[in-house]
Amino acid sequence: MAIGIDPTVDFACKRLLGSPDHPAITLHFLNAVLGGHPPITTVQILNPIIGKGFDDDKASILDVLATDDHGRFIDIEIQTTLPAGLSERLTYYAASQLVEQLGEGDSYRELRPSIGICILDAIRFRESAALHLDFQLRSPSGELLTDCLQIHLLELPKYQPDADNGVIADPIKQWIHFFRFAAISSPEELRQQLPDLVFSEAIGVLEMIARNPEEKRFYETRLKMQRDEQARLEAAEERGEARGEARGEAIGRVRVLQSLAGVAESTIEDLRMHSSEELAAMEVALKRQLRERS
């Protein structure tokens, strides 16, 4: 039987990666994303969920904030949609986390790396096949200016499991597989493909949410919020596409009318610079010319 709890729901994600009761899960995830160079051996969750430390406030479950044994500050978040300005927001949060380290009179040499990690159940960079995108301050030829500002993006939909359903060896693929398929897989299926003991622990966290009525209720509340947000974005995209189609039809009508009226035909690029109202006015004027000619 499938586990039925989706780890991309922010509440479940924070139970997995933001709980002081399960540091091994957080350590394994961070070492997978950051490459284990240097290896992280301890991590402190700065904003954990403890006991009943949650409510139905939409803002109550956000990122996982942590620091590791190298003094680095890490922000982990899950996104199931592709909101406008996501890249800028991730940059802003990481930069803010960097700036907040220094007080008056502190030395810049005291700055520790600020790292943002976004698990994205959408595709931001379609031109790249990479599942894990690592953004740092580098020159075009690869020289690293500093590691003080880093953003890591995991794009879940790009992942396709191997046809043989065998053991997954790559740590990044292990976690992406878990986030993509845990909800629809049985514990046995997951343990077969992800035999590392840390994933047995992660499976146990999801099973605990499924068994606990209060946590299951809160999980379902958060799931509904995420689905509502997805529906709003899809509706906005449909409205935008409809407006785009209407503008394209208006541009086409203007060009036909210009041709019939014997006036210089505008390029599509020129007409795209006009508002919908201006295109409508041009269409009215051209029709008037044709009527007067008739």
Side-chain angles (χ1 to χ4, degrees):
M1 179 181 294
I3 296 174
I5 299 294
D6 187 348
T8 66
V9 174
D10 55 6
F11 174 69
C13 182
K14 190 158 187 176
R15 275 294 191 217
L16 286 163
L17 300 178
S19 171
D21 297 329
H22 302 284
I25 299 177
T26 311
L27 284 171
H28 190 282
F29 175 79
L30 291 178
N31 279 311
V33 174
L34 303 180
H37 305 294
I40 305 171
T41 57
T42 60
V43 63
Q44 179 184 0
I45 306 299
L46 302 179
N47 63 338
I49 298 179
I50 301 176
K52 296 183 179 180
F54 54 87
D55 54 38
D56 289 336
D57 178 6
K58 186 176 181 181
S60 63
I61 306 297
L62 292 173
D63 306 353
V64 175
L65 303 178
T67 183
D68 68 6
D69 47 338
H70 305 290
R72 299 180 294 188
F73 291 87
I74 304 166
D75 176 25
I76 308 170
E77 69 169 88
I78 188 90
Q79 279 286 340
T80 56
T81 61
L82 189 60
L86 175 64
S87 300
E88 291 76 12
R89 183 171 64 76
L90 293 173
T91 305
Y92 176 81
Y93 283 168
S96 297
Q97 194 170 239
L98 184 68
V99 171
E100 288 168 1
Q101 295 179 39
L102 290 186
E104 186 175 353
D106 290 343
S107 169
Y108 293 119
R109 289 176 294 182
E110 298 176 19
L111 284 172
R112 306 306 303 154
S114 172
I115 302 171
I117 300 174
C118 180
I119 305 163
L120 181 62
D121 196 14
I123 298 178
R124 169 66 178 82
F125 295 93
R126 295 189 177 276
E127 67 280 7
S128 171
L131 304 173
H132 171 208
L133 294 108
D134 176 3
F135 300 97
Q136 298 193 40
L137 297 176
R138 296 181 182 275
S139 71
S141 54
E143 292 84 3
L144 180 66
L145 176 65
T146 175
D147 65 352
C148 275
L149 193 65
Q150 305 176 35
I151 296 173
H152 295 260
L153 195 60
L154 305 182
E155 295 189 323
L156 304 186
K158 289 180 178 177
Y159 171 74
Q160 295 297 325
D162 293 336
D164 62 2
N165 292 321
V167 172
I168 302 168
D170 180 77
I172 287 290
K173 289 184 177 180
Q174 288 174 344
W175 277 106
I176 293 179
H177 183 94
F178 182 83
F179 276 105
R180 283 206 67 191
F181 296 110
I184 60 174
S185 300
S186 69
E188 293 74 22
E189 289 169 335
L190 283 177
R191 291 189 182 101
Q192 181 180 356
Q193 293 182 275
L194 305 169
D196 193 305
L197 288 178
V198 74
F199 289 103
S200 290
E201 187 175 350
I203 291 165
V205 171
L206 299 185
E207 291 178 317
M208 179 271 296
I209 295 173
R211 289 193 304 265
N212 184 305
E214 187 175 9
E215 298 221 347
K216 182 70 177 300
R217 176 190 63 80
F218 193 76
Y219 163 84
E220 289 174 346
T221 298
R222 300 297 301 175
L223 176 60
K224 181 179 183 301
M225 287 181 179
Q226 290 183 192
R227 286 174 173 169
D228 289 347
E229 177 63 20
Q230 179 66 39
R232 283 192 290 271
L233 284 176
E234 290 175 356
E237 289 173 359
E238 289 175 1
R239 289 195 296 271
E241 290 173 359
R243 285 195 295 270
E245 290 174 1
R247 277 183 57 80
E249 292 171 358
I251 288 171
R253 288 195 301 270
V254 168
R255 298 187 78 212
V256 169
L257 289 168
Q258 285 176 333
S259 176
L260 293 173
V263 301
E265 192 172 323
S266 302
T267 66
I268 293 175
E269 289 72 20
D270 287 340
L271 291 174
R272 282 177 178 164
M273 300 298 291
H274 293 277
S275 67
S276 297
E277 292 74 15
E278 290 171 335
L279 289 172
M282 293 171 68
E283 190 174 343
V284 169
L286 288 165
K287 288 179 178 177
R288 185 184 303 115
Q289 287 184 37
L290 288 172
R291 285 197 301 270
E292 291 172 351
R293 179 181 300 178
S294 301

